[in-house]
């Protein structure tokens, strides 16, 4: 199935969508898409089929988000912890991602037309080379698209992300690009894999599990969190609407917190600004090198 599909809502769903759009719609929504295997079990199909249906649900959810005016979505597609699953399941998930990214590259024109930018966030060094190349290619060819962003967390955990940020900062100090007193929360945020994004406004986790599973721990300190019992492949547009209604009820409290936090403007000294630019440039070059090796091979 394609990443970009048109799903038509019925008149009642469209009415609910219009009502929701009169209120504050979150700009950035993150999803922990949990419950694929329980769904497979319930349907008496193979585990991997649960993940395939999970992907189809992602494509459908992206179209609902677009209709709602949500401009950024971040999804937990593969945790580093998932490497502890059976080889058969890990291989199955990798193969699914491979197939879907090949499809995505074939649909390049559709992505450009809809202005969708794809970013893979995670520890790419933990992935097979061919997947790194596919991910790099998808990121490069969509990098100038600016209507919507999909961040796909793959080979990701928050602790790994924060560990890498600390290593980058330690390297910056070692090479005297920055000084220990330059370390601030803002500098750390700029060193995370998510440095190009604002923090999510809303996090949705399906399947009744009430925990974060090492997902965006740094980024969700003031995010509205919505847990629902529905298994991810059964997630419906009504479940999404309920989550947005919940967000809208929390909105005024969230605004108060944001006001306090944004009251102090962040000013970087030149040293820190130069270091951040250098780091981001190096990361971009790394992705471009992965992509160039695809073109040359
Ligand atoms: C959690 O359900 C889901 C995953 C570990 C994988 C999520 C992946 C997808 C939805 C497919 C996305 C693919 C691409 C290429 C973007 P679970 O396996 O933990 O199920 P359970 O909680 O019922 O055991
Ligand atoms: Mg699970």
């Amino acid at each position: 199935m394609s990443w970009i599909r048109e799903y038509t809502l019925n008149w009642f769903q469209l009415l609910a969508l219009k009502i929701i759009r009169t209120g504050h719609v979150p700009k950035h929504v993150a999803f922990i898409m949990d419950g694929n295997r329980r769904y497979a079990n319930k349907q008496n199909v193979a585990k991997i089929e649960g993940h395939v249906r999970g992907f189809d649900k992602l494509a459908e959810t992206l179209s609902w988000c677009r209709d709602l005016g949500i401009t950024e979505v971040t999804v937990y597609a593969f945790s580093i912890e998932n490497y502890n699953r059976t080889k058969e399941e890990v291989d199955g998930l990798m193969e699914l991602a491979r197939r879907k990214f090949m499809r995505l590259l074939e649909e390049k024109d559709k992505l450009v037309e809809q202005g969708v930018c794809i970013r893979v966030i995670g520890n790419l060094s933990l992935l097979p080379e061919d997947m790194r190349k596919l991910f790099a290619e998808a990121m490069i060819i969509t990098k100038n698209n600016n209507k919507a962003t999909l961040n796909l967390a793959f080979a990701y955990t928050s602790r790994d992300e924060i560990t890498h940020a600390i290593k980058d900062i330690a390297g910056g100090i070692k090479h005297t690009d920055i000084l220990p007193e330059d370390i601030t929360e803002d500098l750390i945020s700029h060193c995370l894999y998510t440095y190009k994004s604002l923090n999510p406004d809303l996090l949705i986790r399906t399947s009744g599990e009430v925990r974060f599973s090492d997902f965006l721990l740094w980024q969700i300190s003031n995010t509205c969190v919505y847990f629902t019992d529905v298994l991810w492949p059964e997630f419906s547009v009504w479940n999404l609407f309920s989550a947005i209604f919940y967000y809208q009820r929390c909105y005024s409290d969230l605004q108060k917190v944001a006001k306090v936090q944004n009251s102090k403007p962040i000013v970087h000294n030149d040293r820190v600004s130069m270091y951040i630019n250098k780091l981001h440039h190096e990361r971009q070059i790394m992705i471009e090198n992965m992509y160039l090796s695809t073109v040359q091979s």
Side-chain angles (χ1 to χ4, degrees), residues 276-293:
I276 290 173
N277 287 340
K278 182 177 156 193
L279 182 75
H280 293 176
H281 180 69
E282 282 169 5
R283 287 186 185 182
Q284 192 57 34
I285 297 290
M286 201 179 73
I287 291 167
E288 272 162 27
N289 285 341
M290 284 178 202
Y291 172 62
L292 286 177
S293 64

Side-chain angles (χ1 to χ4, degrees), residues 22-296:
T22 60
H24 288 281
V25 174
K27 288 191 184 65
H28 182 179
V29 180
F31 291 90
I32 301 180
M33 312 179 286
D34 197 18
N36 292 353
R37 296 184 300 183
R38 275 167 281 170
Y39 172 82
N41 220 8
K42 211 169 118 182
Q43 301 292 320
N44 228 351
V45 294
K47 272 184 205 149
I48 193 63
E49 190 52 31
H51 295 309
V52 171
R53 308 260 174 102
F55 175 83
D56 296 347
K57 184 55 67 178
L58 169 61
E60 206 176 355
T61 304
L62 292 175
S63 81
W64 298 331
C65 287
R66 189 197 54 210
D67 293 348
L68 277 161
I70 295 164
T71 50
E72 183 156 8
V73 170
T74 301
V75 294
Y76 210 0
F78 189 84
S79 152
I80 293 174
E81 292 299 316
N82 291 154
Y83 273 119
N84 295 324
R85 295 188 177 189
T86 62
K87 183 173 180 322
E88 189 191 357
E89 190 181 350
V90 172
D91 288 350
L93 277 163
M94 294 291 167
E95 197 44 43
L96 176 64
R98 240 181 225 112
R99 274 203 334 260
K100 294 301 177 187
F101 267 80
M102 284 178 185
R103 180 71 193 262
L104 184 143
L105 295 174
E106 286 164 15
E107 293 182 323
K108 181 184 158 192
D109 294 345
K110 260 199 211 171
L111 289 170
V112 173
E113 194 184 295
Q114 299 222 354
V116 182
C117 168
I118 305 280
R119 294 184 194 133
V120 182
I121 55 167
N123 189 342
L124 298 187
S125 72
L126 298 176
L127 293 171
E129 199 189 350
D130 67 317
M131 288 187 65
R132 278 205 296 266
K133 289 180 179 178
L134 277 174
F135 288 172
E137 190 171 355
M139 286 191 270
I140 298 285
I141 63 173
T142 64
K143 76 173 179 186
N144 294 324
N145 297 347
N146 58 10
K147 286 201 192 114
T149 302
L150 172 63
N151 303 304
L152 203 83
F154 209 98
Y156 175 91
T157 60
S158 217
R159 287 166 188 236
D160 179 73
E161 176 183 39
I162 293 168
T163 306
H164 276 87
I166 293 170
K167 283 187 182 164
D168 280 333
I169 291 171
I173 293 172
K174 190 171 157 200
H175 295 110
T176 61
D177 291 334
I178 47 173
L179 301 174
E181 55 267 35
D182 292 329
I183 301 174
T184 59
E185 288 180 14
D186 187 63
L187 174 63
I188 295 173
S189 296
H190 274 98
C191 296
L192 298 175
Y193 300 140
T194 53
Y195 69 91
K196 289 185 181 166
S197 301
L198 292 175
N199 290 338
D201 302 300
L202 172 65
L203 167 68
I204 299 173
R205 181 175 188 148
T206 56
S207 92
E209 303 293 339
V210 183
R211 54 200 159 82
F212 297 125
S213 301
D214 220 339
F215 185 50
L216 303 178
L217 298 182
W218 181 274
Q219 296 86 343
I220 58 167
S221 61
N222 290 307
T223 295
C224 173
V225 182
Y226 183 81
F227 295 105
T228 169
D229 286 340
V230 68
L231 302 177
W232 174 251
E234 293 174 335
F235 189 75
S236 73
V237 74
W238 292 112
N239 297 125
L240 181 61
F241 289 166
S242 302
I244 312 281
F245 275 132
Y246 178 76
Y247 168 82
Q248 292 181 336
R249 287 203 302 277
C250 301
Y251 185 76
S252 60
D253 288 339
L254 293 167
Q255 280 307 95
K256 279 181 212 149
V257 178
K259 223 173 183 175
V260 174
Q261 284 202 332
N262 299 335
S263 59
K264 278 189 241 148
I266 297 157
V267 186
H268 294 138
N269 63 40
D270 289 351
R271 194 172 50 236
V272 172
S273 297
M274 273 171 65
Y275 171 70
I276 290 173
N277 287 340
K278 182 177 156 193
L279 182 75
H280 293 176
H281 180 69
E282 282 169 5
R283 287 186 185 182
Q284 192 57 34
I285 297 290
M286 201 179 73
I287 291 167
E288 272 162 27
N289 285 341
M290 284 178 202
Y291 172 62
L292 286 177
S293 64
T294 328
V295 176
Q296 282 155 9

